[in-house]
Amino acid sequence: MNFKLKTLVAAIALGVSMSAIAADPIKIGVAGPFTGGSAPMGVSMRDGAKLAAAEINAKGGVLGRQIQLIERDDEAAPPRGVQVAQELINKERVVATVGYINTGVALASQRFYQEAKIPVMNNVATGSIITQQFAKEPANYIFRNAASDQIQSEMIIQEAVERRKFKKLAILADSTNYGQLGREDLEKALDKRGMKPVATEKYNIKDVDMTAQLLKAKQAGAEAVLTYGIGPELAQIANGMEKLGWKVPLIGSWTLSMGNFIDNAGKNGDGTRMPQTFIQDPTTAKRKSFIDAYVKAYNPPNGRMPSPVSAAQGYDSIYLLAAAIKQAGATDGPKILAALENLNEKVDGVVTSYAKPFSKDDHEAIDFKNTVFGEVKGGHVVLAK
């Protein structure tokens, strides 16, 4: 083989090699509970993220590369969440991860991303301290596009105290980090108004009888029950109130919109109210397109997403990351971080249109303006009136 031919062959080989490198997918982790009581949230979040990735890939991807989602079931268990985080970082080499449904899993797992300088977009977990866990460090890699419990607890108390004029409130919260941190936020919101709950009761995941807790709340004269928990146990609260013949309003965090609350509570869930960033209602062209695509792709029973909020925030989280990667022109963590903190491009999501949603000191994309009250009515969540 003469020199010119060797050079040509080498050049072709190098070109193929460079092309292969350029074509490598951009790996983004998707971590959440896809089994168990939290599964409606995790599955909806994952499926929303998959829709967004498919749309972006159909338009050529990001930086000329396709997005590849690497899914892992954290089972809503902090030890499993830690294992998943390490696997996604060290084995899969993800450039970012979206997800975390459960506050306890987020707090246990996201420290590994912080150490590795890889961004995390919390798209469902709402514990107020999640984005503050590493806020005092020089760079904070933890972001969120979900309504924090600080926002939700204030809205819940405004609804109960200011709008509906209740003076005696009971709080029922599960024993997880999510439930107990949410309870603390409710108590802080009450304390600002010089009020205290007349009863504060705790229960465990998988508890099926809330009679003791509900009796204490009833005997204390509670005019409404405020909740912080997830679907199955929340349904036990609604059904337990029916058994006691005690009909007072149920107002709680966004998880009262979960399909496994609505289905298990049946008529006992009607009238329940909760903060929502997204309701499955085609109020805009973007929302109609998203809802139609979700229903067509996943064919959920009765056309209802298991957790509309989770699906919408999962979808938006991928678009936010894609915009940051595009702006950064690279996939290394510090550059994506810098882009997220100063996004130039408006991101048209289904929850909202995000215009500079983050800054160096504020990693929360959702505020009071993006959050409304939903109400359970006939097996669906509708906008509360």
Side-chain angles (χ1 to χ4, degrees):
M1 191 182 288
N2 64 36
F3 177 75
K4 283 186 178 177
L5 189 55
K6 282 182 178 177
T7 305
L8 181 61
V9 170
I12 291 169
L14 180 62
V16 170
S17 171
M18 294 301 289
S19 170
I21 291 170
D24 279 352
I26 296 172
K27 289 185 175 184
I28 296 176
V30 182
F34 308 140
T35 53
S38 294
M41 298 181 284
V43 169
S44 298
M45 177 276 292
R46 178 196 67 195
D47 290 348
K50 285 163 69 174
L51 280 181
E55 290 175 5
I56 293 165
N57 286 340
K59 294 174 183 174
V62 184
L63 306 181
R65 297 161 64 184
Q66 297 281 284
I67 291 174
Q68 181 184 359
L69 300 183
I70 311 294
E71 303 168 19
R72 291 291 182 273
D73 183 0
D74 63 30
E75 302 168 11
R80 173 64 182 155
V82 166
Q83 184 184 359
V84 164
Q86 292 173 324
E87 186 178 327
L88 290 173
I89 293 165
N90 300 319
K91 182 183 174 188
E92 298 293 346
R93 305 285 179 185
V94 297
V95 305
T97 282
V98 302
Y100 292 128
I101 306 300
N102 308 89
T103 294
V105 179
L107 294 173
S109 308
Q110 61 191 17
R111 66 180 65 253
F112 297 96
Y113 291 96
Q114 178 70 17
E115 289 167 7
K117 298 183 178 178
I118 295 173
V120 175
M121 184 69 68
N122 280 274
N123 53 20
V124 179
T126 56
S128 296
I129 65 172
I130 281 174
T131 54
Q132 298 301 307
Q133 194 175 13
F134 308 107
K136 292 181 180 175
E137 295 192 10
N140 177 10
Y141 284 82
I142 313 304
F143 293 81
R144 172 160 49 197
N145 66 307
S148 75
D149 290 337
Q150 211 164 10
I151 290 171
Q152 292 186 68
S153 58
E154 178 63 24
M155 287 181 68
I156 290 165
I157 299 305
Q158 284 177 6
E159 170 73 10
V161 175
E162 291 164 21
R163 185 175 174 276
R164 298 170 80 167
K165 309 299 182 187
F166 296 134
K167 292 181 171 57
K168 294 183 175 183
L169 300 166
I171 299 174
L172 267 67
D174 73 30
S175 58
T176 68
N177 278 350
Y178 172 66
Q180 293 307 301
L181 290 170
R183 171 190 57 74
E184 287 177 15
D185 283 333
L186 284 175
E187 289 174 343
K188 286 174 190 171
L190 281 172
D191 190 58
K192 281 196 307 187
R193 295 162 171 84
M195 296 174 68
K196 290 188 182 301
V198 294
T200 305
E201 295 297 317
K202 184 161 66 172
Y203 59 87
N204 296 317
I205 297 292
K206 297 187 178 176
D207 278 0
V208 294
D209 185 2
M210 306 292 179
T211 306
Q213 293 95 326
L214 288 168
L215 274 173
K216 287 180 183 175
K218 183 181 180 184
Q219 288 163 1
E223 300 166 294
V225 173
L226 312 182
T227 62
Y228 249 91
I230 62 171
E233 292 76 35
L234 295 172
Q236 296 295 346
I237 293 172
N239 294 337
M241 290 166 71
E242 170 69 15
K243 285 176 192 168
L244 290 175
W246 185 42
K247 191 61 179 172
V248 297
L250 199 59
I251 310 166
S253 63
W254 76 273
T255 45
L256 282 163
S257 65
M258 289 173 67
N260 56 6
F261 166 74
I262 295 170
D263 292 338
N264 292 332
K267 64 179 177 55
N268 299 330
D270 275 3
T272 300
R273 291 193 171 194
M274 75 303 287
Q276 300 281 275
T277 59
F278 175 81
I279 290 170
Q280 191 178 336
D281 186 10
T283 50
T284 66
K286 180 77 176 178
R287 289 184 170 187
K288 183 179 189 311
S289 173
F290 168 69
I291 292 165
D292 290 349
Y294 189 103
V295 172
K296 183 180 178 182
Y298 306 114
N299 193 27
N302 302 315
R304 189 193 68 206
M305 299 173 185
S307 176
V309 167
S310 305
Q313 291 169 181
Y315 178 91
D316 286 3
S317 67
I318 295 294
Y319 270 99
L320 287 165
L321 273 177
I325 292 167
K326 178 184 172 187
Q327 182 174 313
T331 56
D332 56 305
K335 288 181 180 174
I336 298 173
L337 169 73
L340 279 170
E341 290 182 337
N342 187 30
L343 274 178
N344 298 323
E345 182 185 325
K346 193 174 184 181
V347 177
D348 190 19
V350 289
V351 169
T352 188
S353 286
Y354 303 86
K356 293 200 180 294
F358 306 112
S359 67
K360 182 166 178 54
D361 300 319
D362 184 1
H363 284 196
E364 302 278 1
I366 301 297
D367 57 23
F368 289 101
K369 296 192 297 289
N370 313 122
T371 315
V372 297
F373 253 94
E375 179 176 319
V376 177
K377 193 172 182 180
H380 293 267
V381 173
V382 299
L383 184 66
K385 293 177 182 176

